[in-house]
Amino acid sequence: MLALTHLAAGQPHQAVRVTESMLKHLTEIDSGDDEQQSPRAAAVRESVSTMLLAARARLDSYRKDVREGKFDGGQSVAIASGWAEKALMKLKEWSSSAGASNWARLRDGLVNQGKHISQESACLTFAGCLVEAVTRSHQGVPSCSPPREIYDNALTEAELCLTNHVMTSRKNRGSKQVDSQANPIALYLLALVCAHRNKGEKALAVLEELVDTSTQVYTFGRALAAVLLACLRKVDNAIDVIEDTLKNVTKSSHEEVFLLRVRSRLCERHKRSMEVHVVEDAIDALSAAGHKRQASLLASDLAHYCISDSQEANKVKFARLAVQLDDTCPSAHFALGSTLEADGNEHAALESYENAMGTVSQHGPSALAAASLLARKEDNFVWHARSLCKDALKWDMYNAEALVTLAKMEGKWRFPRFLCL
């Protein structure tokens, strides 16, 4: 109860300390058990629930640290994944020892003393941790991140586990279809895992089964479908998906902000027109409601869109508004820097990029923009440009633009091999 109280109060670090103490107690209990005997249902229930709680606490603490610009190279999310995987394996072990290793029994999970713990819960936690790890666990300390092959193997396992939960075999056919009663969170996570494994078509097929429940899961699922459609060069269809979803969300809600940001980025990157006044009205409403950070993020995205659409007056207006709304938001300073650089004011642009990196250490977009700008200057700036480019790779170690920029610099100035490591 104490750990759950800390999580509900937004204190994940305290919850981590509580669950660590609980896990030590479980270890002592398990070490005294006879390994030849099947674990008792009550003991399994306690172990699994504690492991899942520990995974959630670790994941929440990791996300809070990332929001504050604190990175640990994915250590916390790796620990969370480990506890979720142990919980999953323990449930499988219990089901097998009970003489029912089929998926239906595993799906039903463990019911004891009025408490229900299903393998689906463990599977969802495990898949969620993996997706978080693959997405950004390397930020700040990429050298601590495991090789991509390890993640690929884990994602394969997560895809198999989720598929078995959301799919049912069609009668008289060898294929499978999505269960009409499938957990929407499981569907969304399966689509995310498929997207990370470059299975865009399968991800879209899974997302088509999401029922409109007016929840965040449905909103995120529709946004993911739009991004996947854009990747398949169906940009107009992608924007239509966002527009349709926007009609059913509450004004000034987190869902509306998220969808407006996705639409702004799609229109920016794929040169599509967008009604600026609609987003501007949303910014005003968010600001009036006291949601300064969200309003600042929307204004930042709108500034980038205006840069791509050559709206000279609006790009400056919204970039400065973003900083005015929240001067601790790195995206706001980055947007202002991009605007100033587009106007040819490189010195002021560099200052804005540095302000962004001052709010969040190694802010990737700003580091890369500053590196590219400095690389075009005199040769005595090259060392600083190269250092910034490496900072950008610490933010996103697979950023193709950063990798190409760094390769060009190292090829042009022929850095000694040991300095390129």
Side-chain angles (χ1 to χ4, degrees):
M1 286 298 296
L2 181 58
L4 288 173
T5 302
H6 283 309
L7 288 173
Q11 301 171 336
H13 295 89
Q14 288 88 332
V16 167
R17 288 195 288 270
V18 174
T19 54
E20 283 179 348
S21 176
M22 295 168 66
L23 288 168
K24 289 179 181 178
H25 179 63
L26 281 180
T27 302
E28 293 171 1
I29 293 175
D30 291 343
S31 62
D33 289 341
D34 185 354
E35 295 182 356
Q36 302 301 321
Q37 299 294 326
S38 299
R40 292 176 302 173
V44 175
R45 175 183 56 78
E46 182 183 3
S47 297
V48 170
S49 61
T50 303
M51 290 175 187
L52 293 180
L53 183 59
R56 178 187 169 188
R58 277 283 181 179
L59 192 59
D60 284 4
S61 67
Y62 165 76
R63 287 171 172 166
K64 184 175 182 179
D65 285 342
V66 168
R67 287 194 296 270
E68 296 174 355
K70 303 173 184 177
F71 309 108
D72 64 359
Q75 179 181 356
S76 294
V77 75
I79 294 173
S81 301
W83 286 121
E85 186 177 18
K86 284 185 177 181
L88 196 61
M89 294 301 104
K90 204 164 190 66
L91 276 174
K92 287 184 178 181
E93 175 190 350
W94 169 81
S95 182
S96 178
S97 66
S101 58
N102 57 74
W103 279 101
R105 177 62 180 273
L106 288 172
R107 190 174 190 164
D108 292 339
L110 176 65
V111 180
N112 184 269
Q113 296 181 0
K115 295 185 179 180
H116 179 82
I117 302 172
S118 68
Q119 194 195 25
E120 183 179 67
S121 300
C123 187
L124 294 182
T125 305
F126 178 53
C129 291
L130 283 179
V131 170
E132 190 76 32
V134 172
T135 303
R136 57 183 182 180
S137 68
H138 59 274
Q139 286 185 346
V141 196
S143 59
C144 295
S145 183
R148 183 56 190 252
E149 292 77 11
I150 293 178
Y151 285 142
D152 288 339
N153 293 335
L155 285 172
T156 301
E157 181 181 348
E159 181 184 356
L160 176 61
C161 182
L162 288 168
T163 299
N164 279 312
H165 277 293
V166 305
M167 301 287 190
T168 56
S169 298
R170 294 183 179 180
K171 294 182 179 179
N172 302 321
R173 298 185 187 181
S175 59
K176 290 185 175 183
Q177 65 180 2
V178 175
D179 188 347
S180 59
Q181 303 298 320
N183 187 329
I185 298 177
L187 288 173
Y188 175 64
L189 282 174
L190 177 58
L192 270 178
V193 170
C194 290
H196 279 292
R197 299 197 66 214
N198 298 320
K199 295 183 177 182
E201 296 288 354
K202 180 179 178 180
L204 280 171
V206 171
L207 290 171
E208 287 177 0
E209 303 299 329
L210 271 178
V211 179
D212 186 357
T213 54
S214 300
T215 61
Q216 287 187 345
V217 175
Y218 178 75
T219 302
F220 292 155
R222 297 288 285 174
L224 177 58
V227 172
L228 291 170
L229 286 169
C231 292
L232 296 173
R233 300 183 180 180
K234 299 178 181 179
V235 181
D236 293 330
N237 292 342
I239 295 176
D240 287 341
V241 169
I242 297 296
E243 296 287 356
D244 290 341
T245 312
L246 274 169
K247 296 175 183 177
N248 301 317
V249 298
T250 306
K251 294 295 182 181
S252 301
S253 63
H254 293 291
E255 291 84 355
E256 185 193 37
V257 173
F258 179 72
L259 291 170
L260 287 174
R261 295 194 67 197
V262 173
R263 185 181 65 177
S264 295
R265 295 192 179 193
L266 287 175
C267 292
E268 173 204 344
R269 296 180 183 180
H270 298 282
K271 305 298 181 182
R272 297 297 194 273
S273 61
M274 183 180 70
E275 295 179 339
V276 172
H277 69 89
V278 175
V279 184
E280 187 173 7
D281 290 343
I283 293 171
D284 292 339
L286 288 167
S287 179
H291 304 308
K292 301 294 186 180
R293 172 55 67 93
Q294 292 180 322
S296 178
L297 289 171
L298 266 184
S300 302
D301 290 337
L302 195 53
H304 285 293
Y305 168 76
C306 291
I307 292 173
S308 68
D309 200 42
S310 301
Q311 298 185 24
E312 299 300 324
N314 278 339
K315 70 181 183 183
V316 177
K317 169 186 173 182
F318 290 118
R320 295 196 181 281
L321 176 61
V323 176
Q324 179 183 344
L325 286 168
D326 187 354
D327 60 2
T328 65
C329 178
S331 297
H333 291 289
F334 173 61
L336 181 57
S338 300
T339 300
L340 294 169
E341 185 177 357
D343 287 339
N345 193 344
E346 294 185 348
H347 178 76
L350 274 174
E351 185 177 350
S352 290
Y353 294 145
E354 289 172 357
N355 288 336
M357 289 181 281
T359 58
V360 173
S361 177
Q362 301 165 345
H363 183 249
S366 297
L368 179 57
S372 300
L373 197 157
L374 288 172
R376 297 194 298 268
K377 289 181 171 290
E378 301 176 12
D379 291 356
N380 57 340
F381 288 100
V382 66
W383 291 98
H384 187 35
R386 180 169 167 272
S387 176
L388 287 170
C389 202
K390 289 194 170 186
D391 283 345
L393 287 171
K394 290 178 181 179
W395 184 268
D396 181 2
M397 63 194 302
Y398 302 111
N399 188 309
E401 185 180 356
L403 290 168
V404 170
T405 302
L406 182 60
K408 286 182 178 179
M409 284 192 290
E410 292 180 344
K412 180 178 179 180
W413 283 282
R414 299 184 181 279
F415 290 105
R417 177 63 182 170
F418 71 91
L419 292 177
C420 299
L421 299 177

